[in-house]
């Protein structure tokens, strides 16, 4: 495991070592995974077997109306770990390989904030919020981790059981230290994964070669997926098997807190990046793409007892919530707002999603009544398909900026097993509007109906205001990708063509 000292960060005095935080400061164990949505027993999916995560929810606090900022891996994680919307943090697409998006130079990762406050900081497994082609040492220094063991160093594939084993060892090491710890553990599952012994031409499923499908309790077919019989049910059995496997490994990590005596004073957070990898979910701004599981527990803070929170929250709120629990003030202006008043159930009177204290800017301590609007975005994933959305309790408006298919195929397969219940339109309409009261699955676009003209105008104003105030680059034109910039630089480096003598 590579180590990096906080002195490597240019904003810090290289001669200063952080003072240990008070012993009463809670540890933080942040567990996150790919592509889960809310597909857990505690969120009402009765056919999936997730006893450990269900128990965490029953003993902690579950956020029933949690949404991510983007239905894709890296941009959503950028929000989780900076408290800012993806376009403001600099991550408009994936961070690995030639996608190469990265956090802005001045963005401060959650680990860095806690490291400077005296926390011991470690990362195990998936890191997908910053550019992935750095060395391990460079990445540790950039993000603020003392110790870092990436998925690429754990194995190919990076199995949750191996990540959990390393996490248990790391908890045992950190438990005997003299500082509170921040341990960030990232699991790949239930992302779609290639298989070899079970390969099927043109198909990438959920279980690779080391997991088993699970249909012991049957399968739950989401309402946005057409039940086409065996193929649909086989795919969903794979998804449920991958989630069951993940849950068992999360259980092993949580057991390590009990075994080391750290459970009482550790803030445990479990969440995911976005919705499941099914049509109209992952890579789509419909609710199945933006909804996420989010469960927290910290007995020392009183965050226990199985409370359910029904207010709408965004995953940009995780960053300030953790910092407030740790007694740390973020250095940068952020868009997230601490959930502590909701979790403590104190001072949840009035508030808004407007910029400034308690809104889109720096959070005001002690105020979070839940959000009146959720904002979501997508710019690049497999290809350029910029979209923005605003959601209230009762309506969803989506603005599309290119003429692309209705949704991006998230099956990673040439031969998908599951299809949506809605027909696939040839092109995006400019505006989509859904009445969530009568159409919760977002199938009837009422954007052009006269009876919804006022709602459409109101939500367009909300969305435009948010884009303007958060510096959304789409308002200035098309967004250029890192690969575009690289290719232009290679062309320019070749110089002017040599004149032909013929």
């Amino acid at each position: 495991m590579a180590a990096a000292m906080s002195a490597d960060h240019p904003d810090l005095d290289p001669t200063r070592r952080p003072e240990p935080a008070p012993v009463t400061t809670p540890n933080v164990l942040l567990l996150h995974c790919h592509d889960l949505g809310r597909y857990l027993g505690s969120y009402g999916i009765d056919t999936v077997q997730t006893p450990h995560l269900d128990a965490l929810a029953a003993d902690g606090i579950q956020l029933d109306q949690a949404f991510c900022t983007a239905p894709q891996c890296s941009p959503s994680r950028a929000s989780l770990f900076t408290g800012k919307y993806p376009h403001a943090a600099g991550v408009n697409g994936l961070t690995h390989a030639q996608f190469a998006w990265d956090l802005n130079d001045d963005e401060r990762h959650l680990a860095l904030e806690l490291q400077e406050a005296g926390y011991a900081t470690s990362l195990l497994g998936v890191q997908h919020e910053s550019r992935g082609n750095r060395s391990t040492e460079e990445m540790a220094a950039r993000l603020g981790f003392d110790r870092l063991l990436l998925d690429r160093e754990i194995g190919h594939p990076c199995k949750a059981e191996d990540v959990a084993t390393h996490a248990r060892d790391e908890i045992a090491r950190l438990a005997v230290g003299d500082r509170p710890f921040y341990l960030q553990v990232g699991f790949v599952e239930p992302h779609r994964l290639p298989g070899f012994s079970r390969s099927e031409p043109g198909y990438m499923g959920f279980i690779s070669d080391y997991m088993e499908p699970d249909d012991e309790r049957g399968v739950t077919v989401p309402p946005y997926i057409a039940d086409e019989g065996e193929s649909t049910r086989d795919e969903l059995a794979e998804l449920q098997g991958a989630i069951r496997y993940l849950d068992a490994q999360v259980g092993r990590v949580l057991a390590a807190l009990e075994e080391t005596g750290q459970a009482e004073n550790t803030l445990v957070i479990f969440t995911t990046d976005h919705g499941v990898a099914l049509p109209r979910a992952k890579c789509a701004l419909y609710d199945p793409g933006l909804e996420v599981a989010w469960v927290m527990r910290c007995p020392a803070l009183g965050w226990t007892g199985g409370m359910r929170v029904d207010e709408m929250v965004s995953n940009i709120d995780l960053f300030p919530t953790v910092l407030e629990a740790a007694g740390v003030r973020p250095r940068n202006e952020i868009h997230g707002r601490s959930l502590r008043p909701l979790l403590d159930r104190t001072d949840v009177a009035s508030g808004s999603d407007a910029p400034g204290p308690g809104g889109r800017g720096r959070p005001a301590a002690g105020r979070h009544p839940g959000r009146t609007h959720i904002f979501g975005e997508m710019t690049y994933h497999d290809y350029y398909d910029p979209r923005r959305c605003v959601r209230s309790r009762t309506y969803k408006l989506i603005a599309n900026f290119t003429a692309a298919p209705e949704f991006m195929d998230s099956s990673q397969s040439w031969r998908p097993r599951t299809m949506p219940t809605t027909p696939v339109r040839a092109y995006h309409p400019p505006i989509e509007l859904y009445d969530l009261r009568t159409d919760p699955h977002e199938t009837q676009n009422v954007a052009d109906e006269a009876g919804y003209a006022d709602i459409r105008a109101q939500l367009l104003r909300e969305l435009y205001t948010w884009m303007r105030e958060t510096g959304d680059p789409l308002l200035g034109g098309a967004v250029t990708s890192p690969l575009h910039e690289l290719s232009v630089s290679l062309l320019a480096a070749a110089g002017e063509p040599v004149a032909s003598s013929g």
Side-chain angles (χ1 to χ4, degrees):
M1 178 178 288
M5 301 301 295
S6 59
D8 291 331
H9 194 276
D11 292 339
L12 300 180
D13 178 353
T15 65
R16 180 180 69 80
R17 187 180 188 279
E19 293 295 325
V23 294
T24 55
T25 302
N27 305 312
V28 180
L29 171 61
L30 201 165
L31 307 165
H32 63 99
C33 70
H34 274 294
D35 299 15
L36 179 67
R38 298 183 191 145
Y39 213 92
L40 296 174
S42 63
Y43 281 90
I45 308 298
D46 296 332
T47 58
V48 70
Q49 302 192 56
T50 52
H52 299 96
L53 286 168
D54 294 349
L56 180 66
D59 189 39
I61 298 175
Q62 178 168 297
L63 302 170
D64 285 340
Q65 295 295 319
F67 296 89
C68 62
T69 58
Q72 48 181 155
C73 310
S74 299
S76 178
R77 283 186 170 86
S79 291
L80 272 177
F81 298 115
T82 69
K84 298 175 91 169
Y85 288 103
H87 64 263
V91 182
N92 287 303
L94 299 171
T95 57
H96 65 284
Q98 294 295 346
F99 298 106
W101 289 95
D102 198 9
L103 295 170
N104 294 328
D105 290 342
D106 60 349
E107 296 304 330
R108 295 173 59 82
H109 194 280
L110 177 59
L112 181 59
E113 297 279 10
L114 292 173
Q115 184 186 60
E116 292 184 10
Y119 273 70
T121 56
S122 299
L123 182 151
L124 297 169
V126 170
Q127 184 289 127
H128 210 189
E129 58 265 27
S130 73
R131 181 165 51 83
N133 61 358
R134 293 185 174 94
S135 71
T136 300
E137 292 75 18
E138 290 171 332
M139 192 173 295
R142 170 65 184 92
L143 301 182
F145 287 101
D146 302 322
R147 293 164 62 85
L148 188 151
L149 185 65
L150 295 171
D151 50 356
R152 67 193 183 200
E153 298 160 328
I154 292 175
H156 300 281
C158 179
K159 301 178 183 178
E161 58 197 272
D162 296 329
V163 174
T165 296
H166 286 292
R168 287 176 56 81
D169 292 343
E170 188 67 0
I171 288 171
R173 185 190 72 83
L174 292 166
V176 297
D178 60 356
R179 292 190 286 163
F181 64 79
Y182 170 70
L183 175 57
Q184 180 176 315
V185 181
F187 297 103
V188 173
E189 299 87 357
H191 197 286
R192 290 179 183 268
L193 295 168
F196 302 97
S197 64
R198 299 169 172 171
S199 62
E200 177 180 325
Y203 174 71
M204 184 182 293
F206 293 96
I207 57 175
S208 188
D209 298 322
Y210 61 93
M211 293 174 278
E212 298 297 330
D214 178 22
D215 60 359
E216 287 182 11
R217 300 177 181 174
V219 298
T220 298
V221 181
Y224 53 90
I225 294 297
D227 187 350
E228 298 183 336
E230 184 177 356
S231 65
T232 302
R233 293 173 178 275
D234 286 349
E235 171 130 298
L236 294 172
E238 286 195 6
L239 173 62
Q240 292 186 171
I243 295 171
R244 183 179 185 178
Y245 168 82
L246 168 70
D247 176 81
Q249 306 315 315
V250 169
R252 292 178 58 215
V253 178
L254 296 178
L257 291 179
E258 299 286 349
E259 294 162 7
T260 58
Q262 300 299 305
E264 179 73 18
N265 195 44
T266 297
L267 169 56
V268 176
I269 302 167
F270 175 84
T271 191
T272 187
D273 48 4
H274 50 70
V276 295
L278 293 173
R280 257 182 154 251
K282 181 178 179 178
C283 295
L285 293 183
Y286 307 114
D287 276 6
L290 296 176
E291 62 189 22
V292 294
W294 185 351
V295 179
M296 309 175 76
R297 183 189 69 194
C298 186
L301 294 174
W303 296 354
T304 187
M307 186 173 79
R308 306 284 289 267
V309 175
D310 191 53
E311 286 86 349
M312 293 196 305
V313 300
S314 171
N315 67 348
I316 55 171
D317 298 330
L318 185 145
F319 179 92
T321 301
V322 172
L323 292 186
E324 184 170 358
V328 178
R329 180 80 170 178
R331 286 198 185 181
N332 286 351
E333 292 290 325
I334 61 173
H335 302 132
R337 297 152 49 190
S338 173
L339 301 182
R340 184 153 194 177
L342 281 180
L343 304 177
D344 291 342
R345 282 300 179 187
T346 61
D347 189 20
V348 294
S350 61
S352 72
D353 296 320
R360 296 187 189 114
R362 185 180 294 274
R367 303 194 70 80
H368 194 311
R371 292 181 175 272
T372 58
H373 295 87
I374 293 292
F375 296 94
E377 64 182 84
M378 183 161 158
T379 307
Y380 282 91
H381 195 77
D382 292 343
Y383 51 83
Y384 185 55
D385 186 9
R387 288 166 272 160
R388 301 293 186 260
C389 78
V390 55
R391 183 199 197 278
S392 69
R393 280 278 186 177
T394 50
Y395 297 98
K396 162 84 70 65
L397 182 139
I398 301 173
N400 299 298
F401 294 82
T402 60
E406 177 191 84
F407 60 88
M408 192 177 291
D409 181 16
S410 61
S411 69
Q412 298 181 262
S413 306
W414 288 110
R415 297 180 180 178
R417 287 180 174 176
T418 50
M419 296 298 292
T421 56
T422 56
V424 179
R425 291 191 294 271
Y427 305 104
H428 285 311
I431 302 296
E432 299 172 62
L433 177 63
Y434 300 98
D435 187 337
L436 302 177
R437 301 168 302 174
T438 58
D439 181 26
H441 306 309
E442 299 160 282
T443 61
Q444 301 297 319
N445 182 11
V446 297
D448 295 329
E449 293 188 14
Y452 290 92
D454 290 345
I455 294 296
R456 170 179 161 142
Q458 175 190 335
L459 291 179
L460 282 171
R461 285 193 297 270
E462 289 280 354
L463 187 58
Y464 177 74
T465 299
W466 169 75
M467 293 177 69
R468 187 186 69 238
E469 293 176 350
T470 58
D472 194 327
L474 275 181
L475 293 180
V479 177
T480 303
S481 71
L483 184 58
H484 178 109
E485 295 174 355
L486 173 61
S487 296
V488 169
S489 70
L490 293 174
L491 289 166
E496 294 295 327
V498 177
S500 173
S501 59

